[in-house]
Amino acid sequence: MNARFLGIAELGEAPAVAVVIDVMRAFTVAAWAFAQGAEKIVLAESLDEALALKARHPDWVALKDGPPAPGFDMVNSPGLLRSVDLRGRTVVQKITAGTVGALAVQEASLVLCAGFVVAEATARLLRTRGCDDVTFVVTGEDGHADEDLACAQYIARRATEAETDAAEFLRRAGESRAAAELAEGVRQGVHPDDVALCLELDRFTFGMVAALEDSLMVLRPCAVP
């Protein structure tokens, strides 16, 4: 497999296949939302769009980065989300990096969103769909977030080498700047278990596919053979 690892700003024309990585915490949160029963996640372009969608659909659940804010139901924390019943609900997510990355490749023929919690499922989707040329979008820190790069490199290797050892990749993620900021309380809207939850390898068995639906970028879980 020909794998490229690019930051959002480095993206040119739409790739054929894109895997958008946001380990801490957007796509860990997304995976937990699906595990808690969410039907779909709408990836909003801005906070204003997220609030507008929530206003039009009061039963939708809106979440964002940082501290709680008027109009939003939740913050971007897997530790806080894991106890919420989302059965049949639609979630609107606006995150600093992850949602931006997914929207940047919305014209790709296949867009997968991932973190370590769905790493094997993502790698298996790439294998079963015969993806030979894959662009991994490293969303954090302008493409330099080591937790995202480590996850991207692990999935790329796992897609071709099923016995790849995850230990070194998880170590890098655990020692990343994002992990330190979450652990030290530098970021707001954080649960003490967030870092550990973001580093749970293959917690879930589904992949996550994003596609345009009526002009909205919508993320849905995808069963993996």
Side-chain angles (χ1 to χ4, degrees), residues 1 4 11 13-21 43 101-114 121-137 155 159 207-212 217-225:
M1 186 179 72
R4 297 188 302 161
L11 292 166
E13 62 183 30
V17 178
V19 180
V20 187
I21 307 292
L43 304 177
L103 289 165
V105 293
Q106 61 184 297
E107 301 299 332
S109 58
L110 175 64
V111 179
L112 304 179
C113 295
T122 305
R124 191 175 297 176
L125 277 173
L126 293 173
R127 289 197 301 270
T128 58
R129 298 196 182 198
C131 300
D132 297 322
D133 191 356
V134 181
T135 297
F136 289 85
V137 184
I155 292 172
M208 299 188 293
V209 179
L212 286 170
M217 194 65 167
V218 177
L219 186 64
R220 293 183 183 272
C222 177
V224 178

Side-chain angles (χ1 to χ4, degrees), residues 22 32 42 63-64 66 98 128 135 137 151 179 192 202:
D22 190 333
W32 270 100
V42 177
L63 65 86
K64 61 177 282 294
T128 58
T135 297
V137 184
C151 184
D202 302 332

Side-chain angles (χ1 to χ4, degrees), residues 91-198:
V91 174
V92 180
Q93 188 180 37
K94 170 62 183 94
I95 306 302
T96 306
T99 53
V100 175
L103 289 165
V105 293
Q106 61 184 297
E107 301 299 332
S109 58
L110 175 64
V111 179
L112 304 179
C113 295
F116 282 109
V117 292
V118 293
E120 168 58 21
T122 305
R124 191 175 297 176
L125 277 173
L126 293 173
R127 289 197 301 270
T128 58
R129 298 196 182 198
C131 300
D132 297 322
D133 191 356
V134 181
T135 297
F136 289 85
V137 184
V138 180
T139 62
E141 298 179 32
D142 297 323
H144 299 291
D146 202 35
E147 75 280 3
D148 292 341
L149 180 59
C151 184
Q153 291 170 337
Y154 174 70
I155 292 172
R157 188 173 297 179
R158 189 72 178 261
T160 56
E161 302 174 28
E163 300 303 316
T164 299
D165 187 355
E168 176 61 18
F169 300 96
L170 289 169
R171 182 197 63 77
R172 285 168 52 196
E175 295 177 357
S176 67
R177 176 173 148 185
E181 289 180 349
L182 289 173
E184 295 166 7
V186 173
R187 301 187 186 187
Q188 294 180 292
V190 177
H191 187 279
D193 293 341
D194 278 357
V195 173
L197 292 172
C198 290

